[in-house]
Structures are given as C-alpha cells and as structure tokens.
Amino acid sequence: MHKGVSFLIRYLGKRIFFMLLSLFLIITATFFIMKAVPGGPFTSEKNVPDEIRAALEAKYKLNLPLHEQYLDYLIGILKWDLGPSFAEKSSTVNEIINRGFPVSAHLGAQALLIAIFGGITLGVIAALKHNKWQDYTAMVLAVLGLSVPSFILASFLQYFFAMKMGWFPIAKWEGFEYTILPSLALAAMPMAFIARLTRSNMLEVMSQDYIKTAKAKGLNTVTITVKHAIRNALLPVITYLGPLVANILTGAFVIERIFGVPGLGREFVMSITNRDYTVIMGTTVFYSIILVTAVLLVDIAYTLIDPRIKLSDTGRE
C-alpha cells in the first residue's frame, strides 16, 4: 500500500513538474511573440500625438525595457493579475475571463457530452451491426462529421434548422434552446472521430478469445458488450480526451463568433482584431492551464481504468 502511494506521489510530481514547465514555455513564447508583432495596442488609423502615446505607454509600463516587462508579467501571472485591457478601458483581463469563461464552459461541456456519448453510441452500434445498414449509416455520418468544417456546418444548421424550419434561434445566448445549434456544430467533428475510433476498437475486442468464451457460456449480447467489450474498447477514446478538450476550446472561437455567443472565445477573436495584447496573452495562458490540466487528468484516469498500466518507472516494479 505504502509503496503504491509513493509511486503515485512520484508519478504525480513528475507530471506536475512537466505541466508547470510547459506552462512556463507557453507563457514565455506568447509574451515575446506578442512583443515581436508589428504595431502596438494604441495603433489606429488616426495618428496619435507622440505626447499622448508616451503617456499611455508610461501608464501601462510599455516604456520599460523588455526584460523588465517580462518579469512584471511573470509576477502578475503568479499573483493571477493579468493586467488591464487596452481596448476596454474599464475592464481588466481577469474580469473579461470571469465574464466570458462560464459561457464558454457551458458550451464546451455540452458539446463534450454530445461528442462523447454520441460518438460512443454510434461506434458501438456500428460494431455490433457490422456490415449492416446501421454500420454504413453510422460511418457515413462519421465521414461527414470529419469532412465538413465546423463553420460550414454551423452555417448549414443556422440556415436549415433556424431560418427554414424555425425550430431553433439563429444566434444569441438567452436560454437552453440557444445552446443546441452551436453545441451540435462544435461537437460534430470530435463525435465523428470518437465513433470511428470506438467502432474499430470494438471490432477488435469482440474478436478476442475472452469474448468468444463469454458467448459460449451463454451470456447475452448486452452483458458481453457492457461488462466486457466497452471498457477495453474505450481506452483509446480516453486517451483522446486530452486532444478533444483542445479541439472543443479552439473550435469554440469560431463557433462563438458565428452564433454570437458571449464567451471567452469571442473575446479572444475580438482582442486579436483590436490588438488587445494583454487579453490575447491572458486568454492564451488561461486556456493553456486548462489544457495541461485536462491532459494530466486524462493520464491519471487512464492508469486507474487500465490496471495493466503501472505508475512506476519503466522496468521497475
């Protein structure tokens, strides 16, 4: 027991160290890339007098040497003070994140559930009905989901289900019915990938000897599928959850813009247009924290679900 706990602590410590190192590299790269981009947050079509520009740069400490700005930014992140917004003078980056992230989290969680449960359901049905019309139908839907870009699918959903059929609102975020179309558009591609992944792994698992033995013992298809096949077939799907969270988050940028969803993704796109560098860097850091944390949780879940995976170092018991 104590040995297993020590292995778990050592494993978590190693993973957390690499997670923090990844965050540091992302923060550093984001800061210097933003500083290397031509122009500035106060660049506009009309010329700003030099005196006003100098006063603004002094106010936001943009006149300091680059290494001092970098150190100030690192200290601010440690204090979770991401600075003011250049475009929204009355808001800070923290306030923008607090305002937009709950909406993005709602949309992302809803799309994540649709992608996981919809993809697994389609994949299991396709595997159990191999080479039948159910299999062909599920795979056609999967190919379409992987082939059609999310922004094209979003426009189609708006045109057909909102404008033509009138079943759902075309945009905005004012109730549950407003969440359905953007969630479907966001979930389509990962759901299709999960369906194909589940189908291929289910077919492989169903051909294993222990499944044949269970059938020979007279166990019904539901028991074999639920108790024996799905658990082993879903291990690759669990591995995909880390990249899946990344796909959901990055895909939400475009979807939120198309559907007028007041989430953090839309704020990020608008900050690029407005050259609001503090918002760009702040949201990048925030999303990076979410992504590396999701990858860590997926790794831990994978080791818990599959007992064959050891937390100890390779070659050691």
Side-chain angles (χ1 to χ4, degrees):
M1 176 65 71
H2 295 292
K3 189 175 182 180
V5 172
S6 66
F7 282 150
L8 178 61
I9 294 174
R10 186 167 57 188
Y11 173 81
L12 290 177
K14 185 185 298 185
R15 297 297 300 168
I16 291 173
F17 169 76
F18 284 111
M19 182 180 75
L20 295 176
L21 178 61
S22 300
L23 284 175
F24 173 75
L25 294 176
I26 292 171
I27 291 168
T28 301
T30 303
F31 177 85
F32 286 104
I33 288 174
M34 287 296 99
K35 294 299 179 180
V37 172
F42 307 116
T43 302
S44 61
E45 294 182 2
K46 297 180 180 180
N47 292 327
V48 178
D50 294 337
E51 296 81 2
I52 296 178
R53 177 170 292 158
L56 289 172
E57 290 179 350
K59 177 182 177 181
Y60 293 109
K61 298 182 179 180
L62 298 177
N63 59 341
L64 296 176
L66 190 59
H67 68 278
E68 292 186 20
Q69 295 184 46
Y70 175 63
L71 291 176
D72 285 343
Y73 189 67
L74 289 180
I75 293 172
I77 290 178
L78 291 176
K79 296 178 179 179
W80 199 239
D81 179 9
L82 301 177
S85 168
F86 294 138
E88 296 185 28
K89 301 297 190 295
S90 60
S91 301
T92 65
V93 179
N94 294 66
E95 291 172 346
I96 291 175
I97 291 176
N98 293 336
R99 179 181 69 209
F101 180 67
V103 177
S104 295
H106 181 180
L107 175 61
Q110 196 163 300
L112 194 64
L113 291 175
I114 293 173
I116 293 174
F117 289 105
I120 291 174
T121 302
L122 285 175
V124 170
I125 291 174
L128 295 179
K129 302 295 182 180
H130 185 48
N131 287 335
K132 297 182 180 179
W133 69 266
Q134 295 94 331
D135 182 17
Y136 299 139
T137 302
M139 288 304 98
V140 167
L141 292 175
V143 170
L144 289 176
L146 290 171
S147 305
V148 180
S150 60
F151 62 91
I152 298 294
L153 179 61
S155 301
F156 170 78
L157 293 176
Q158 284 180 322
Y159 176 77
F160 187 76
F161 290 106
M163 297 177 63
K164 288 295 184 182
M165 305 298 293
W167 291 354
F168 302 103
I170 191 171
K172 300 298 182 182
W173 188 266
E174 299 176 0
F176 176 73
E177 65 274 13
Y178 290 82
T179 69
I180 296 175
L181 293 185
S183 297
L184 289 175
L186 192 56
M189 186 175 70
M191 181 173 65
F193 186 85
I194 290 175
R196 290 175 62 87
L197 192 61
T198 302
R199 175 185 179 272
S200 62
N201 284 283
M202 277 288 294
L203 290 175
E204 181 179 352
V205 169
M206 294 297 286
S207 64
Q208 298 296 318
D209 291 337
Y210 70 91
I211 297 294
K212 296 177 181 178
T213 302
K215 290 180 179 179
K217 289 181 178 180
L219 295 178
N220 59 54
T221 304
V222 175
T223 302
I224 294 174
T225 303
V226 174
K227 283 191 172 184
H228 301 286
I230 288 183
R231 179 174 178 175
N232 292 325
L234 291 186
L235 290 176
V237 176
I238 294 171
T239 306
Y240 175 62
L241 290 181
L244 173 59
V245 174
N247 289 338
I248 293 292
L249 289 177
T250 54
F253 293 171
V254 177
I255 297 300
E256 288 181 10
R257 189 68 172 167
I258 292 175
F259 285 94
V261 178
L264 193 55
R266 190 182 70 165
E267 297 284 356
F268 181 81
V269 174
M270 292 174 61
S271 67
I272 296 176
T273 304
N274 298 329
R275 300 192 181 197
D276 199 348
Y277 295 164
T278 52
V279 175
I280 296 174
M281 292 188 291
T283 51
T284 301
V285 171
F286 183 71
Y287 276 130
S288 300
I289 292 173
I290 294 176
L291 292 179
V292 296
T293 303
V295 171
L296 175 64
L297 294 177
V298 167
D299 288 344
I300 294 174
Y302 198 85
T303 58
L304 294 176
I305 292 176
D306 190 352
R308 296 170 297 180
I309 298 177
K310 302 295 184 182
L311 295 179
S312 58
D313 295 331
T314 304
R316 300 179 61 177
E317 296 182 357

